[in-house]
Amino acid sequence: MTMHLALTLHILGVVVWVGGMFFAYMALRPAAVKVLQAPFRLRLWEAVFNKFFPWVWLSIIAILASGYFIIFALIGGFGSTGLYVHIMHGLGIIMMALFFHVYFAPFNRLKKANATESWGLGGDALNQIRVLIAINLTLGLITIVVATAGRYFLT
Ligand code: HEM
């Protein structure tokens, strides 16, 4: 793998993950609140996450594999990268940890709540997911700016 392939993989992962969060938060969420009552809305979100989260896992694998490949195989380790790469790396790891938490904690609770028709619990779980995705979307957008424009002001 060379630089152009690694960067392509990296960017496709970033676009799928951050773009997907933007669509979910900015378009699907307000539309679902407007159109659907709680039971349907909670079931919709479970189905949406079941479709979207495998892509997030794939994106994370692509981002990590390509990012570390660039750093260790192509540019000679973290010692030779700019500050913007360190910040990208740190924010990326935080984003991944938040996603793992969403996946294994509130998303699990949402599925269980839907299965037992406990709409109150499902609403709580969805609310936690909403807050964590709002944070991750914000971090994702900041990380993209740092990763691209950052080289001109964070060297
Ligand atoms: C967490 C582990 C990550 C590692 C190890 C990593 C590493 C890298 C490396 C080494 C580059 C090439 C830098 C250069 O060409 O000077 C790069 C580029 C890039 N990364 Fe990451 N990255 C990570 C996560 C992320 C995340 C989470 C995002 C966005 C949400 C992101 C967005 C970008 C973008 C947009 C570029 C292209 C920069 C450009 O060529 O203009 N990265 N990354």
Side-chain angles (χ1 to χ4, degrees), residues 1 16 86 113 126 136 138:
M1 189 158 53
V16 167
H86 290 277
L126 188 59
N136 247 6
T138 308

Side-chain angles (χ1 to χ4, degrees), residues 34-85:
K34 205 167 165 186
V35 171
L36 296 176
Q37 300 292 318
F40 291 107
R41 204 167 66 238
L42 294 168
R43 290 215 155 104
L44 170 76
W45 281 112
E46 181 184 348
V48 167
F49 294 142
N50 272 329
K51 290 285 174 195
F52 180 53
F53 285 169
W55 288 104
V56 177
W57 282 106
L58 202 65
S59 298
I60 288 177
I61 292 167
I63 291 169
L64 282 178
S66 57
Y68 290 133
F69 178 82
I70 295 172
I71 291 172
F72 294 113
L74 299 181
I75 58 179
F78 272 107
S80 13
T81 63
L83 177 60
Y84 71 97
V85 174

Side-chain angles (χ1 to χ4, degrees), residues 88-140:
M88 170 189 355
H89 180 227
L91 291 175
I93 295 298
I94 293 171
M95 288 176 64
M96 288 168 197
L98 287 177
F99 171 71
F100 298 152
H101 180 73
V102 165
Y103 191 86
F104 291 110
F107 178 46
N108 241 339
R109 285 200 288 275
L110 175 65
K111 286 191 283 195
K112 283 196 186 118
N114 282 352
T116 55
E117 306 200 341
S118 318
W119 308 125
L121 293 178
D124 291 346
L126 188 59
N127 220 22
Q128 286 159 15
I129 296 174
R130 177 183 61 79
V131 171
L132 290 169
I133 291 190
I135 295 172
N136 247 6
L137 172 59
T138 308
L139 289 178

Side-chain angles (χ1 to χ4, degrees), residues 135-149:
I135 295 172
N136 247 6
L137 172 59
T138 308
L139 289 178
L141 295 173
I142 292 172
T143 309
I144 291 172
V145 172
V146 167
T148 53

